[in-house]
Amino acid sequence: MQSAIWLTNKMADWNITALVGVPGVGKTSLCKSAAGALGYKYVNYGELMLEVAIFNNLASNQDEMFKLDIEIQQSIWQSAANKVNEMKRFSNKILLDLHGVDKSEIGYITSLPIEIIIPDRIIIVEASYENIIIRRYHDKSRIRVLEDFKYVKEHMEILRLSMMACSVIYGSYLSLIVNDNFEKCLDELKDILSS
């Protein structure tokens, strides 16, 4: 019976939740809406990395940053992760918005910095291929690639497997939500975060 009590308390006492998904699933809109409604701190990991890159005169936008040598990106990635850890001292609930797995010239790379940040929860956001492509097409804030179905499916499968492994290794709770109906998905996300 003590285990059940511990699990219940741990769920209520989370500090960092990583919301992950391939580009275009709507994770940023979900994160911002949920964080605002629940009073949690929202952190977009890509934007935090860009702040580090700009501060160090390495890039002026995300597209430039992700074209840097992988070693430089790794350094930016680690600096941003350290900043998130610093935020834990001042924020009780952090909702971290990131891809979780990114495609690079050398293959897929886990972009959840688990060497530095161990999230209490990992929530994978998925959506239909059609919705992902529509969202990417309409996003004018960045240059978005419109990959074919096979690539998007592969990326989502690798993300799912990677986050399962991270969850097992670090004892993070793992959830999966589908964002084909924004309001329904937002309600589900808020329920998960509030439990």
Side-chain angles (χ1 to χ4, degrees):
M1 188 64 180
Q2 284 182 323
S3 293
I5 293 168
W6 178 81
L7 287 174
T8 302
N9 289 340
K10 181 159 175 38
M11 288 295 286
D13 293 336
W14 67 272
N15 191 271
I16 295 180
T17 293
L19 196 78
V20 300
V22 301
V25 295
K27 68 192 164 307
T28 299
S29 297
L30 286 167
C31 273
K32 286 180 177 180
S33 295
L38 300 172
Y40 300 156
K41 177 153 183 71
Y42 167 74
V43 178
N44 182 300
Y45 199 69
E47 290 174 7
L48 189 59
M49 287 179 62
L50 182 57
E51 287 176 24
V52 171
I54 289 171
F55 181 80
N56 291 295
N57 295 316
L58 297 170
S60 61
N61 60 54
Q62 285 189 352
D63 295 316
E64 284 179 16
M65 180 177 65
F66 290 120
K67 290 178 183 170
L68 295 170
D69 288 338
I70 198 72
E71 294 82 17
I72 296 171
Q73 288 185 52
Q74 179 93 17
S75 175
I76 294 168
W77 180 77
Q78 289 173 338
S79 296
N82 288 328
K83 287 181 177 289
V84 172
N85 269 341
E86 290 172 24
M87 290 176 196
K88 285 192 322 188
R89 292 187 289 154
F90 306 104
S91 297
N92 188 27
K93 307 270 191 209
I94 298 172
L95 194 50
L96 188 61
D97 169 2
L98 72 164
H99 294 148
V101 171
D102 286 305
K103 176 85 171 160
S104 76
E105 293 177 5
I106 59 172
Y108 288 98
I109 300 171
T110 302
S111 58
L112 175 60
I114 54 177
E115 300 90 17
I116 301 169
I117 301 170
I118 300 174
D120 302 293
R121 296 178 179 190
I122 300 170
I123 302 173
I124 302 169
V125 181
E126 293 184 350
S128 67
Y129 172 75
E130 293 79 14
N131 282 332
I132 290 170
I133 294 303
I134 288 168
R135 289 180 188 129
R136 287 182 186 182
Y137 179 78
H138 289 291
D139 182 2
K140 303 302 179 197
S141 67
R142 294 194 51 213
I143 299 169
R144 295 286 188 179
V145 179
L146 303 179
E147 291 107 356
D148 64 20
F149 174 77
K150 180 182 172 191
Y151 170 80
V152 173
K153 182 179 179 205
E154 175 185 275
H155 194 167
M156 285 197 298
E157 287 173 357
I158 289 174
L159 173 67
R160 200 184 264 205
L161 293 170
S162 298
M163 294 304 105
M164 286 179 191
C166 291
S167 174
V168 168
I169 292 167
Y170 291 101
S172 305
Y173 291 93
L174 181 67
S175 300
L176 174 71
I177 58 178
V178 178
N179 186 19
D180 286 326
N181 176 315
F182 182 80
E183 292 303 324
K184 182 179 174 186
C185 189
L186 178 60
D187 287 342
E188 186 177 357
L189 175 58
K190 290 191 295 190
D191 287 345
I192 292 168
L193 294 172
S194 299
S195 65

PDB file of all heavy atoms in Angstrom, residues 12-40:
ATOM      1  N   ALA A  12       1.635  14.218  -7.965  1.00  0.00           N
ATOM      2  CA  ALA A  12       1.186  15.558  -7.597  1.00  0.00           C
ATOM      3  C   ALA A  12       2.359  16.517  -7.412  1.00  0.00           C
ATOM      4  O   ALA A  12       2.206  17.717  -7.558  1.00  0.00           O
ATOM      5  CB  ALA A  12       0.356  15.494  -6.323  1.00  0.00           C
ATOM      6  N   ASP A  13       3.536  15.987  -7.118  1.00  0.00           N
ATOM      7  CA  ASP A  13       4.681  16.831  -6.789  1.00  0.00           C
ATOM      8  C   ASP A  13       5.679  17.004  -7.929  1.00  0.00           C
ATOM      9  O   ASP A  13       6.843  17.236  -7.699  1.00  0.00           O
ATOM     10  CB  ASP A  13       5.412  16.251  -5.565  1.00  0.00           C
ATOM     11  CG  ASP A  13       4.576  16.344  -4.312  1.00  0.00           C
ATOM     12  OD1 ASP A  13       3.688  17.205  -4.253  1.00  0.00           O
ATOM     13  OD2 ASP A  13       4.806  15.546  -3.393  1.00  0.00           O
ATOM     14  N   TRP A  14       5.256  16.890  -9.141  1.00  0.00           N
ATOM     15  CA  TRP A  14       6.191  17.008 -10.258  1.00  0.00           C
ATOM     16  C   TRP A  14       6.760  18.423 -10.344  1.00  0.00           C
ATOM     17  O   TRP A  14       6.148  19.376  -9.908  1.00  0.00           O
ATOM     18  CB  TRP A  14       5.543  16.593 -11.576  1.00  0.00           C
ATOM     19  CG  TRP A  14       4.442  17.486 -12.059  1.00  0.00           C
ATOM     20  CD1 TRP A  14       3.122  17.382 -11.737  1.00  0.00           C
ATOM     21  CD2 TRP A  14       4.563  18.621 -12.919  1.00  0.00           C
ATOM     22  NE1 TRP A  14       2.412  18.369 -12.356  1.00  0.00           N
ATOM     23  CE2 TRP A  14       3.263  19.155 -13.086  1.00  0.00           C
ATOM     24  CE3 TRP A  14       5.619  19.242 -13.564  1.00  0.00           C
ATOM     25  CZ2 TRP A  14       3.005  20.269 -13.879  1.00  0.00           C
ATOM     26  CZ3 TRP A  14       5.365  20.344 -14.340  1.00  0.00           C
ATOM     27  CH2 TRP A  14       4.080  20.847 -14.496  1.00  0.00           C
ATOM     28  N   ASN A  15       7.964  18.511 -10.926  1.00  0.00           N
ATOM     29  CA  ASN A  15       8.625  19.800 -11.087  1.00  0.00           C
ATOM     30  C   ASN A  15       8.816  20.157 -12.558  1.00  0.00           C
ATOM     31  O   ASN A  15       8.539  21.264 -12.972  1.00  0.00           O
ATOM     32  CB  ASN A  15       9.969  19.800 -10.359  1.00  0.00           C
ATOM     33  CG  ASN A  15      10.571  21.173 -10.272  1.00  0.00           C
ATOM     34  OD1 ASN A  15      11.294  21.566 -11.166  1.00  0.00           O
ATOM     35  ND2 ASN A  15      10.252  21.899  -9.221  1.00  0.00           N
ATOM     36  N   ILE A  16       9.297  19.211 -13.354  1.00  0.00           N
ATOM     37  CA  ILE A  16       9.511  19.454 -14.784  1.00  0.00           C
ATOM     38  C   ILE A  16       8.739  18.423 -15.595  1.00  0.00           C
ATOM     39  O   ILE A  16       8.862  17.220 -15.371  1.00  0.00           O
ATOM     40  CB  ILE A  16      11.007  19.387 -15.166  1.00  0.00           C
ATOM     41  CG1 ILE A  16      11.788  20.508 -14.496  1.00  0.00           C
ATOM     42  CG2 ILE A  16      11.176  19.458 -16.683  1.00  0.00           C
ATOM     43  CD1 ILE A  16      13.265  20.512 -14.813  1.00  0.00           C
ATOM     44  N   THR A  17       7.951  18.919 -16.536  1.00  0.00           N
ATOM     45  CA  THR A  17       7.293  18.063 -17.517  1.00  0.00           C
ATOM     46  C   THR A  17       7.819  18.452 -18.883  1.00  0.00           C
ATOM     47  O   THR A  17       7.813  19.626 -19.246  1.00  0.00           O
ATOM     48  CB  THR A  17       5.759  18.239 -17.496  1.00  0.00           C
ATOM     49  OG1 THR A  17       5.259  17.737 -16.252  1.00  0.00           O
ATOM     50  CG2 THR A  17       5.101  17.478 -18.639  1.00  0.00           C
ATOM     51  N   ALA A  18       8.318  17.461 -19.612  1.00  0.00           N
ATOM     52  CA  ALA A  18       8.766  17.680 -20.987  1.00  0.00           C
ATOM     53  C   ALA A  18       7.626  17.299 -21.921  1.00  0.00           C
ATOM     54  O   ALA A  18       7.139  16.166 -21.884  1.00  0.00           O
ATOM     55  CB  ALA A  18      10.000  16.827 -21.279  1.00  0.00           C
ATOM     56  N   LEU A  19       7.171  18.246 -22.712  1.00  0.00           N
ATOM     57  CA  LEU A  19       6.147  18.002 -23.724  1.00  0.00           C
ATOM     58  C   LEU A  19       6.878  17.922 -25.057  1.00  0.00           C
ATOM     59  O   LEU A  19       7.478  18.911 -25.487  1.00  0.00           O
ATOM     60  CB  LEU A  19       5.108  19.125 -23.743  1.00  0.00           C
ATOM     61  CG  LEU A  19       3.823  18.792 -24.481  1.00  0.00           C
ATOM     62  CD1 LEU A  19       2.944  17.904 -23.604  1.00  0.00           C
ATOM     63  CD2 LEU A  19       3.063  20.042 -24.840  1.00  0.00           C
ATOM     64  N   VAL A  20       6.873  16.740 -25.663  1.00  0.00           N
ATOM     65  CA  VAL A  20       7.681  16.496 -26.855  1.00  0.00           C
ATOM     66  C   VAL A  20       6.808  16.099 -28.037  1.00  0.00           C
ATOM     67  O   VAL A  20       5.718  15.566 -27.869  1.00  0.00           O
ATOM     68  CB  VAL A  20       8.749  15.408 -26.595  1.00  0.00           C
ATOM     69  CG1 VAL A  20       9.689  15.815 -25.472  1.00  0.00           C
ATOM     70  CG2 VAL A  20       8.106  14.058 -26.273  1.00  0.00           C
ATOM     71  N   GLY A  21       7.310  16.375 -29.233  1.00  0.00           N
ATOM     72  CA  GLY A  21       6.604  15.989 -30.442  1.00  0.00           C
ATOM     73  C   GLY A  21       7.341  16.486 -31.667  1.00  0.00           C
ATOM     74  O   GLY A  21       8.152  17.408 -31.576  1.00  0.00           O
ATOM     75  N   VAL A  22       7.055  15.868 -32.798  1.00  0.00           N
ATOM     76  CA  VAL A  22       7.689  16.293 -34.042  1.00  0.00           C
ATOM     77  C   VAL A  22       7.164  17.679 -34.415  1.00  0.00           C
ATOM     78  O   VAL A  22       6.082  18.080 -33.966  1.00  0.00           O
ATOM     79  CB  VAL A  22       7.435  15.283 -35.191  1.00  0.00           C
ATOM     80  CG1 VAL A  22       7.966  13.906 -34.833  1.00  0.00           C
ATOM     81  CG2 VAL A  22       5.976  15.226 -35.577  1.00  0.00           C
ATOM     82  N   PRO A  23       7.914  18.429 -35.202  1.00  0.00           N
ATOM     83  CA  PRO A  23       7.438  19.752 -35.613  1.00  0.00           C
ATOM     84  C   PRO A  23       6.064  19.669 -36.288  1.00  0.00           C
ATOM     85  O   PRO A  23       5.847  18.831 -37.167  1.00  0.00           O
ATOM     86  CB  PRO A  23       8.503  20.217 -36.604  1.00  0.00           C
ATOM     87  CG  PRO A  23       9.744  19.474 -36.213  1.00  0.00           C
ATOM     88  CD  PRO A  23       9.262  18.138 -35.730  1.00  0.00           C
ATOM     89  N   GLY A  24       5.144  20.508 -35.829  1.00  0.00           N
ATOM     90  CA  GLY A  24       3.827  20.581 -36.432  1.00  0.00           C
ATOM     91  C   GLY A  24       2.720  19.850 -35.685  1.00  0.00           C
ATOM     92  O   GLY A  24       1.567  19.888 -36.113  1.00  0.00           O
ATOM     93  N   VAL A  25       3.038  19.192 -34.559  1.00  0.00           N
ATOM     94  CA  VAL A  25       1.971  18.500 -33.821  1.00  0.00           C
ATOM     95  C   VAL A  25       1.162  19.462 -32.959  1.00  0.00           C
ATOM     96  O   VAL A  25       0.115  19.111 -32.448  1.00  0.00           O
ATOM     97  CB  VAL A  25       2.480  17.328 -32.947  1.00  0.00           C
ATOM     98  CG1 VAL A  25       3.056  16.227 -33.794  1.00  0.00           C
ATOM     99  CG2 VAL A  25       3.437  17.796 -31.884  1.00  0.00           C
ATOM    100  N   GLY A  26       1.666  20.682 -32.782  1.00  0.00           N
ATOM    101  CA  GLY A  26       0.937  21.679 -31.997  1.00  0.00           C
ATOM    102  C   GLY A  26       1.363  21.765 -30.547  1.00  0.00           C
ATOM    103  O   GLY A  26       0.644  22.302 -29.709  1.00  0.00           O
ATOM    104  N   LYS A  27       2.564  21.266 -30.242  1.00  0.00           N
ATOM    105  CA  LYS A  27       3.013  21.249 -28.842  1.00  0.00           C
ATOM    106  C   LYS A  27       3.216  22.644 -28.266  1.00  0.00           C
ATOM    107  O   LYS A  27       2.913  22.869 -27.095  1.00  0.00           O
ATOM    108  CB  LYS A  27       4.254  20.376 -28.663  1.00  0.00           C
ATOM    109  CG  LYS A  27       5.497  20.891 -29.310  1.00  0.00           C
ATOM    110  CD  LYS A  27       6.583  19.844 -29.335  1.00  0.00           C
ATOM    111  CE  LYS A  27       7.645  20.231 -30.305  1.00  0.00           C
ATOM    112  NZ  LYS A  27       7.197  20.548 -31.660  1.00  0.00           N
ATOM    113  N   THR A  28       3.683  23.598 -29.059  1.00  0.00           N
ATOM    114  CA  THR A  28       3.891  24.953 -28.545  1.00  0.00           C
ATOM    115  C   THR A  28       2.564  25.606 -28.189  1.00  0.00           C
ATOM    116  O   THR A  28       2.426  26.188 -27.101  1.00  0.00           O
ATOM    117  CB  THR A  28       4.679  25.800 -29.560  1.00  0.00           C
ATOM    118  OG1 THR A  28       5.966  25.186 -29.762  1.00  0.00           O
ATOM    119  CG2 THR A  28       4.865  27.229 -29.079  1.00  0.00           C
ATOM    120  N   SER A  29       1.571  25.483 -29.040  1.00  0.00           N
ATOM    121  CA  SER A  29       0.247  26.046 -28.736  1.00  0.00           C
ATOM    122  C   SER A  29      -0.340  25.382 -27.499  1.00  0.00           C
ATOM    123  O   SER A  29      -0.908  26.055 -26.628  1.00  0.00           O
ATOM    124  CB  SER A  29      -0.696  25.856 -29.920  1.00  0.00           C
ATOM    125  OG  SER A  29      -0.222  26.552 -31.044  1.00  0.00           O
ATOM    126  N   LEU A  30      -0.197  24.064 -27.397  1.00  0.00           N
ATOM    127  CA  LEU A  30      -0.701  23.350 -26.224  1.00  0.00           C
ATOM    128  C   LEU A  30       0.025  23.787 -24.956  1.00  0.00           C
ATOM    129  O   LEU A  30      -0.605  24.048 -23.930  1.00  0.00           O
ATOM    130  CB  LEU A  30      -0.540  21.836 -26.415  1.00  0.00           C
ATOM    131  CG  LEU A  30      -1.491  21.163 -27.386  1.00  0.00           C
ATOM    132  CD1 LEU A  30      -1.016  19.759 -27.715  1.00  0.00           C
ATOM    133  CD2 LEU A  30      -2.903  21.134 -26.804  1.00  0.00           C
ATOM    134  N   CYS A  31       1.357  23.859 -25.035  1.00  0.00           N
ATOM    135  CA  CYS A  31       2.159  24.255 -23.862  1.00  0.00           C
ATOM    136  C   CYS A  31       1.794  25.647 -23.375  1.00  0.00           C
ATOM    137  O   CYS A  31       1.590  25.854 -22.171  1.00  0.00           O
ATOM    138  CB  CYS A  31       3.651  24.236 -24.199  1.00  0.00           C
ATOM    139  SG  CYS A  31       4.447  22.666 -23.991  1.00  0.00           S
ATOM    140  N   LYS A  32       1.754  26.593 -24.290  1.00  0.00           N
ATOM    141  CA  LYS A  32       1.449  27.970 -23.907  1.00  0.00           C
ATOM    142  C   LYS A  32       0.061  28.067 -23.284  1.00  0.00           C
ATOM    143  O   LYS A  32      -0.123  28.740 -22.266  1.00  0.00           O
ATOM    144  CB  LYS A  32       1.557  28.908 -25.117  1.00  0.00           C
ATOM    145  CG  LYS A  32       2.978  29.188 -25.549  1.00  0.00           C
ATOM    146  CD  LYS A  32       3.009  30.121 -26.747  1.00  0.00           C
ATOM    147  CE  LYS A  32       4.431  30.464 -27.149  1.00  0.00           C
ATOM    148  NZ  LYS A  32       4.456  31.364 -28.315  1.00  0.00           N
ATOM    149  N   SER A  33      -0.911  27.398 -23.886  1.00  0.00           N
ATOM    150  CA  SER A  33      -2.278  27.454 -23.369  1.00  0.00           C
ATOM    151  C   SER A  33      -2.388  26.788 -22.003  1.00  0.00           C
ATOM    152  O   SER A  33      -3.004  27.336 -21.083  1.00  0.00           O
ATOM    153  CB  SER A  33      -3.250  26.795 -24.347  1.00  0.00           C
ATOM    154  OG  SER A  33      -3.291  27.521 -25.552  1.00  0.00           O
ATOM    155  N   ALA A  34      -1.788  25.617 -21.852  1.00  0.00           N
ATOM    156  CA  ALA A  34      -1.858  24.893 -20.574  1.00  0.00           C
ATOM    157  C   ALA A  34      -1.097  25.641 -19.478  1.00  0.00           C
ATOM    158  O   ALA A  34      -1.596  25.778 -18.360  1.00  0.00           O
ATOM    159  CB  ALA A  34      -1.309  23.478 -20.734  1.00  0.00           C
ATOM    160  N   ALA A  35       0.094  26.128 -19.803  1.00  0.00           N
ATOM    161  CA  ALA A  35       0.889  26.864 -18.808  1.00  0.00           C
ATOM    162  C   ALA A  35       0.143  28.109 -18.345  1.00  0.00           C
ATOM    163  O   ALA A  35       0.105  28.411 -17.145  1.00  0.00           O
ATOM    164  CB  ALA A  35       2.262  27.223 -19.374  1.00  0.00           C
ATOM    165  N   GLY A  36      -0.459  28.832 -19.282  1.00  0.00           N
ATOM    166  CA  GLY A  36      -1.210  30.031 -18.935  1.00  0.00           C
ATOM    167  C   GLY A  36      -2.415  29.725 -18.069  1.00  0.00           C
ATOM    168  O   GLY A  36      -2.679  30.407 -17.075  1.00  0.00           O
ATOM    169  N   ALA A  37      -3.154  28.681 -18.421  1.00  0.00           N
ATOM    170  CA  ALA A  37      -4.367  28.323 -17.684  1.00  0.00           C
ATOM    171  C   ALA A  37      -4.058  27.810 -16.285  1.00  0.00           C
ATOM    172  O   ALA A  37      -4.820  28.048 -15.341  1.00  0.00           O
ATOM    173  CB  ALA A  37      -5.154  27.268 -18.462  1.00  0.00           C
ATOM    174  N   LEU A  38      -2.926  27.117 -16.126  1.00  0.00           N
ATOM    175  CA  LEU A  38      -2.603  26.485 -14.843  1.00  0.00           C
ATOM    176  C   LEU A  38      -1.585  27.264 -14.016  1.00  0.00           C
ATOM    177  O   LEU A  38      -1.293  26.886 -12.881  1.00  0.00           O
ATOM    178  CB  LEU A  38      -2.102  25.058 -15.085  1.00  0.00           C
ATOM    179  CG  LEU A  38      -3.096  24.115 -15.783  1.00  0.00           C
ATOM    180  CD1 LEU A  38      -2.423  22.803 -16.148  1.00  0.00           C
ATOM    181  CD2 LEU A  38      -4.318  23.881 -14.909  1.00  0.00           C
ATOM    182  N   GLY A  39      -1.022  28.332 -14.591  1.00  0.00           N
ATOM    183  CA  GLY A  39      -0.047  29.134 -13.861  1.00  0.00           C
ATOM    184  C   GLY A  39       1.336  28.508 -13.776  1.00  0.00           C
ATOM    185  O   GLY A  39       2.092  28.778 -12.843  1.00  0.00           O
ATOM    186  N   TYR A  40       1.697  27.677 -14.754  1.00  0.00           N
ATOM    187  CA  TYR A  40       3.019  27.042 -14.773  1.00  0.00           C
ATOM    188  C   TYR A  40       3.990  27.868 -15.604  1.00  0.00           C
ATOM    189  O   TYR A  40       3.590  28.657 -16.451  1.00  0.00           O
ATOM    190  CB  TYR A  40       2.936  25.630 -15.368  1.00  0.00           C
ATOM    191  CG  TYR A  40       2.035  24.685 -14.616  1.00  0.00           C
ATOM    192  CD1 TYR A  40       1.482  23.591 -15.248  1.00  0.00           C
ATOM    193  CD2 TYR A  40       1.714  24.874 -13.275  1.00  0.00           C
ATOM    194  CE1 TYR A  40       0.648  22.707 -14.572  1.00  0.00           C
ATOM    195  CE2 TYR A  40       0.890  24.000 -12.591  1.00  0.00           C
ATOM    196  CZ  TYR A  40       0.364  22.919 -13.252  1.00  0.00           C
ATOM    197  OH  TYR A  40      -0.451  22.048 -12.598  1.00  0.00           O
TER     198      TYR A  40
END
